[in-house]
Amino acid sequence: MSTTPATRSPLSVRRPWLIALLALVGFVVAGALGGDVQDSLVSGGFDDPGSESSAAAAVVADTFDGGAPDVVLLVTAADGSVDAPEVAAAGVALTEDLASRGEVVQATSYWTLASAPPLRSTDGDRALVLLRFAGDESERLDRAGELREELHERDLDGVAEVTVGGMSAVFSEVNETVESDLVLAEVVALPLTLILLIIIFGSVVSAMLPLAIGGLSIVGTFLALELIAGLTDVSIFALNFTTALGLGLAIDYALLVVNRYREELAAGHDPTTAVTRTVRTAGRTVVFSGLTVASSLVALLVFQFAFLKSFAYAGIAVVGLAVVGAVVVLPAILVLLGHRVNALTVRRPKVTAPGEETDGVWHRIAMTVMRRPVPIATVSTLVLLLLGVPFLGVELGFPDDRVLPPGAETREVSQVLRTEFDSREQSALSVVVPDVDARGTDAAAISGYAQELSTLDGVARVDAAVGSFIGGVRLPVELPFAATLATSDATYLQVVPDVEPISAAGEQLVADVRAVDAPADGVLVGGPSAELADSKQGLVDRLPLALALIAVITFVVLFLSFGSVLMPVKAIVLNLLSLTATLGAMVWVFQDGRFQDALGFTATGSLTVTMPILLFVLAFGLSMDYEVFLLSRIKEEWDRTGDPIGSVAQGLERTGRIVTAAAVLIAVVFVSFGITGSVSFMKLFGFGMTLAVLVDAFVVRTTLVPAFMRLAGAANWWAPAPLRRFHDRFGFSEHVDLDDDEIVLDPPRQPMDAIL
């Protein structure tokens, strides 16, 4: 086809070999530098660093060199009691050995604390050794993992057995589990995805393209996370997210681009012209889709949790790389492939040229919905609202040992601590009283304060520099480390609970402790229960800002893309409706414990505090992804025909197969992480995202969108005159003149099939 100089072609068309070579080099470099990114990432990140509990933890660590134990060693007597001389001698020797190590800042046990009763089980056959390590959170986790390997089911001279627990040990095991789950999920997801892509495209060569773009996006994001981890904490859980989202978006975008390219070839265009027209249409759609997804993820940066921020870092990076891969690298590959994009065909798919009228299954579905828009929209809305009802009873909590599968060593130890010990030594509340010296004139005030705290419901014991108290009564035994609980500038009390710390009872205990009159102002309360209460409050405080940010950015991006006021509003409302159903289902299953045996998790009566926010933001972004796909094609048909009904039907026909295929493929990716995942909140993430994607593709896009667009008619594309003028000047249009084939190639390039 002859061309006349008019429209300069993209760089991908003019320099395809250069782009392909740069992409290959980038892939290799990113793999080499970011391949071991997991070693630079951290666990945790669920607490608010600006909260009172975080401030209390900092004071306890800096002023008193104290804090909650990182590791709890459970010593079980082989026969008889832990008070037996040979068991006691072995326990003391173990404690002293650990205390002598440079990385251990504190090692105490039942035997070295004058046989302290709280550290012995009710049956007397088990006792505890408590360890705290030096270093930051990441270093303590590493040391806990090393100790867990060293002491795994260790035998103490045949008289006792040692098993390892404690929160640092728990999350060390969580990290290892996440890494192994990631490998397993990839082994499951990639072959299934390739098979489905071959079925969808009907060509092995076409099917490989989304995986190539996905690999480029994922490996590039690993390098980005490696660089970011050098500046701030990045959660290891972002790795699963990176792989799932990178592969999913690459599939979405590559499906759209390759499908449009094949349509342009079917219209009779040569490969270079077809690629240029594809970039000007589908490529522009991909860019705006990426902007909508990234804008949703930006909202995660509003929150002060390293866990959520890590997903924002990973998500924005992988979205950007997926967009670049789809609109720069993929077009270059298509130029080089030419007509060989359909090589190794296993079936010949039906491809129609742009502008050609079709009346396939998606056209018929759209027309059926638009003939009865009110009843269909009403039924669909009621179903989604009904699914969302359980979310009204959502309870938020922190992850603990129960996120691990049954049988995990650290989980087994924690379960023993719950059932066989009267108190939760490793989960004590830290109460810091500033400007009070319990060793001097303030001893009486601290004594009275500690006594009052010990009478609260849910308190097993209070330890202070002036002694230990149970139920308002001072114990006759002095703790050897009591002197470390006070300085001339402050006093530190440990409130040991007898209730589950990560629970409503634990939160109530925090409220009760904070309500007690203290002997000084500025008292700080920390510990696991306080971290939970403060984190929930931190989410609530910043949630309105995050939602407003998502709404405003989404509205602006969609308005610039389509020039309509109604389209962005409709898209936001329908996506919120879809997400309500997803969140409700997650509460019904993962909080209330339905199907927990079949799905392999343990319900705790709550959802991890950050997961509803993460699910909402990511699912909202992906929903907008499909929304842009559909609206872009509808707008193109509207600009071409001016038919408010036919444009919707043709738009759905053109994108219905793509959106459905993309949804099924990304669902396969996410459900692979749900099925293979052993950590319960990552399993929730996998299944939750699967449901969100499928509901959006099969309910919202096929019923609610055409119904509402039918009811609005031509008003779908309306905007007030000032905004219309603004869009005409600064906005973007999806419309491409299908008769404009004037493209410049500088210098001209031949497609690969011509070369071969």
Side-chain angles (χ1 to χ4, degrees):
M1 180 178 294
S2 63
T3 61
T4 302
T7 303
R8 190 170 180 82
S9 60
L11 181 62
S12 300
V13 175
R14 291 181 281 120
R15 301 286 190 274
W17 285 107
L18 176 62
I19 296 298
L21 180 61
L22 290 176
L24 180 60
V25 172
F27 179 83
V28 173
V29 171
L33 299 180
D36 294 326
V37 63
Q38 66 272 9
D39 297 334
S40 303
L41 306 185
V42 301
S43 188
F46 299 97
D47 58 320
D48 185 346
S51 65
E52 177 184 330
S53 54
S54 293
V59 172
V60 169
D62 297 340
T63 303
F64 300 97
D65 196 23
D70 295 302
V71 168
V72 177
L73 302 182
L74 180 66
V75 180
T76 303
D79 184 23
S81 169
V82 292
D83 292 315
E86 63 275 13
V87 178
V92 170
L94 174 64
T95 307
E96 292 177 347
D97 172 57
L98 295 171
S100 67
R101 303 185 182 188
E103 69 272 15
V104 176
V105 297
Q106 187 178 47
T108 56
S109 68
Y110 166 70
W111 303 279
T112 59
L113 287 180
S115 299
L119 302 185
R120 183 182 63 180
S121 66
T122 54
D123 292 338
D125 61 339
R126 303 179 192 268
L128 304 180
V129 179
L130 308 179
L131 302 177
R132 192 164 55 81
F133 296 116
D136 57 25
E137 181 181 21
S138 181
E139 293 171 325
R140 298 199 305 272
L141 286 176
D142 290 342
R143 288 164 178 162
E146 293 167 359
L147 186 64
R148 187 164 56 84
E149 293 182 7
E150 175 189 342
L151 299 181
H152 179 62
E153 296 184 352
R154 176 172 170 177
D155 184 272
L156 297 182
D157 301 324
V159 300
E161 181 182 86
V162 179
T163 48
V164 182
M167 290 313 297
S168 290
V170 165
F171 278 99
S172 171
E173 190 165 5
V174 167
N175 286 359
E176 295 176 7
T177 304
V178 166
E179 291 181 28
S180 61
D181 288 348
L182 178 60
V183 173
L184 182 58
E186 291 172 345
V187 169
V188 172
L190 290 176
L192 287 177
T193 301
L194 179 58
I195 292 171
L196 290 173
L197 283 169
I198 292 173
I199 294 173
I200 292 166
F201 280 119
S203 162
V204 175
V205 172
S206 295
M208 294 297 295
L209 297 178
L211 296 183
I213 301 304
L216 185 65
S217 304
I218 292 167
V219 174
T221 302
F222 285 171
L223 175 57
L225 292 180
E226 180 74 43
L227 297 175
I228 296 171
L231 303 174
T232 186
D233 287 342
V234 180
S235 172
I236 193 170
F237 303 112
L239 286 182
N240 300 62
F241 175 74
T242 295
T243 301
L245 185 61
L247 189 56
L249 287 179
I251 288 170
D252 286 358
Y253 297 158
L255 272 173
L256 188 68
V257 170
V258 173
N259 186 75
R260 183 63 185 236
Y261 173 68
R262 295 167 85 175
E263 288 184 6
E264 298 295 347
L265 290 179
H269 300 294
D270 65 85
T272 53
T273 301
V275 168
T276 301
R277 292 163 64 86
T278 297
V279 172
R280 293 167 59 197
T281 53
R284 186 168 294 169
T285 299
V286 166
V287 171
F288 276 99
S289 173
L291 285 174
T292 59
V293 178
S295 66
S296 298
L297 293 169
V298 165
L300 293 176
L301 297 174
V302 168
F303 300 100
Q304 297 301 306
F305 304 92
F307 179 84
L308 290 179
K309 288 187 174 184
S310 298
F311 282 80
Y313 304 146
I316 293 171
V318 81
V319 169
L321 289 169
V323 169
V324 171
V327 301
V328 178
V329 179
L330 182 56
I333 296 174
L334 292 175
V335 170
L336 296 174
L337 285 174
H339 289 282
R340 289 182 180 272
V341 71
N342 296 318
L344 301 180
T345 301
V346 296
R347 70 174 182 85
R348 187 170 297 279
K350 180 182 178 182
V351 180
T352 56
E356 181 179 335
E357 298 292 335
T358 58
D359 58 352
V361 61
W362 294 105
H363 184 281
R364 293 192 292 272
I365 289 174
M367 294 303 294
T368 299
V369 171
M370 287 188 288
R371 280 193 290 268
R372 301 174 181 82
V374 174
I376 290 177
T378 300
V379 171
S380 297
T381 301
L382 289 176
V383 169
L384 294 177
L385 289 175
L386 182 63
L387 289 174
V389 168
F391 190 66
L392 297 176
V394 65
E395 294 289 341
L396 301 178
F398 265 9
D400 58 20
D401 58 283
R402 290 169 292 181
V403 303
L404 288 166
E409 179 184 7
T410 55
R411 174 172 172 168
E412 294 296 314
V413 171
S414 297
Q415 187 59 29
V416 170
L417 297 180
R418 286 190 187 91
T419 58
E420 299 185 25
F421 288 78
D422 292 330
S423 61
R424 307 287 192 271
E425 302 296 322
Q426 74 280 11
S427 302
L429 293 178
S430 304
V431 181
V432 179
V433 185
D435 302 322
V436 170
D437 183 3
R439 300 172 304 178
T441 56
D442 298 313
I446 289 297
S447 179
Y449 183 49
Q451 283 181 312
E452 185 173 0
L453 291 176
S454 71
T455 63
L456 297 175
D457 291 339
V459 174
R461 188 182 77 257
V462 175
D463 298 328
V466 294
S468 295
F469 299 83
I470 295 179
V473 178
R474 179 173 175 172
L475 296 180
V477 178
E478 293 290 341
L479 298 179
F481 62 87
T484 66
L485 299 180
T487 69
S488 59
D489 299 321
T491 292
Y492 161 38
L493 298 86
Q494 290 182 315
V495 180
V496 181
D498 61 9
V499 296
E500 183 66 36
I502 308 302
S503 67
E507 290 185 78
Q508 183 59 51
L509 176 59
V510 173
D512 293 342
V513 168
R514 287 173 171 169
V516 173
D517 290 335
D521 295 330
V523 170
L524 301 173
V525 179
S529 300
E531 291 171 1
L532 172 59
D534 291 346
S535 294
K536 291 171 70 171
Q537 188 59 50
L539 281 176
V540 171
D541 290 344
R542 292 180 176 266
L543 183 59
L545 176 59
L547 294 178
L549 190 63
I550 292 174
V552 170
I553 295 178
T554 299
F555 183 92
V556 171
V557 170
L558 292 182
F559 173 76
L560 289 175
S561 182
F562 302 114
S564 165
V565 171
L566 184 60
M567 283 294 99
V569 174
K570 184 268 299 177
I572 292 171
V573 171
L574 293 187
N575 285 345
L576 290 176
L577 184 62
S578 173
L579 291 176
T580 298
T582 299
L583 293 173
M586 291 304 97
V587 169
W588 191 72
V589 175
F590 285 91
Q591 177 177 303
D592 298 342
R594 292 171 174 88
F595 312 118
Q596 60 179 326
D597 292 334
L599 297 179
F601 72 94
T602 299
T604 61
S606 65
L607 302 182
T608 298
V609 63
T610 51
M611 290 311 295
I613 298 295
L614 180 61
L615 271 178
F616 174 86
V617 169
L618 180 56
F620 186 91
L622 288 179
S623 296
M624 284 298 177
D625 190 40
Y626 298 142
E627 182 82 10
V628 171
F629 284 9
L630 176 57
L631 292 183
S632 295
R633 208 57 188 265
I634 292 175
K635 183 63 162 57
E636 183 178 325
E637 295 295 328
W638 165 259
D639 289 340
R640 187 177 66 86
T641 66
D643 181 359
I645 297 177
S647 61
V648 174
Q650 284 297 317
L652 189 59
E653 174 65 22
R654 291 286 184 178
T655 60
R657 184 178 63 85
I658 299 173
V659 169
T660 303
V664 170
L665 286 166
I666 201 170
V668 167
V669 174
F670 281 121
V671 81
S672 297
F673 285 88
I675 292 173
T676 62
S678 302
V679 177
S680 63
F681 60 82
M682 297 307 294
K683 187 181 290 287
L684 180 152
F685 172 74
F687 283 115
M689 287 306 305
T690 300
L691 180 62
V693 167
L694 294 179
V695 167
D696 187 77
F698 288 97
V699 178
V700 175
R701 302 295 152 236
T702 57
T703 61
L704 290 177
V705 169
F708 279 97
M709 294 195 76
R710 171 66 181 89
L711 293 173
N716 283 307
W717 313 110
W718 174 83
L723 290 180
R724 172 60 59 191
R725 289 192 294 270
F726 179 87
H727 179 266
D728 291 341
R729 182 173 181 181
F730 299 106
F732 300 88
S733 172
E734 286 296 317
H735 178 65
V736 174
D737 187 352
L738 296 178
D739 295 323
D740 177 16
D741 298 330
E742 300 180 349
I743 297 168
V744 171
L745 297 179
D746 180 27
R749 299 292 181 187
Q750 290 181 303
M752 184 178 291
D753 56 343
I755 297 173
L756 297 176

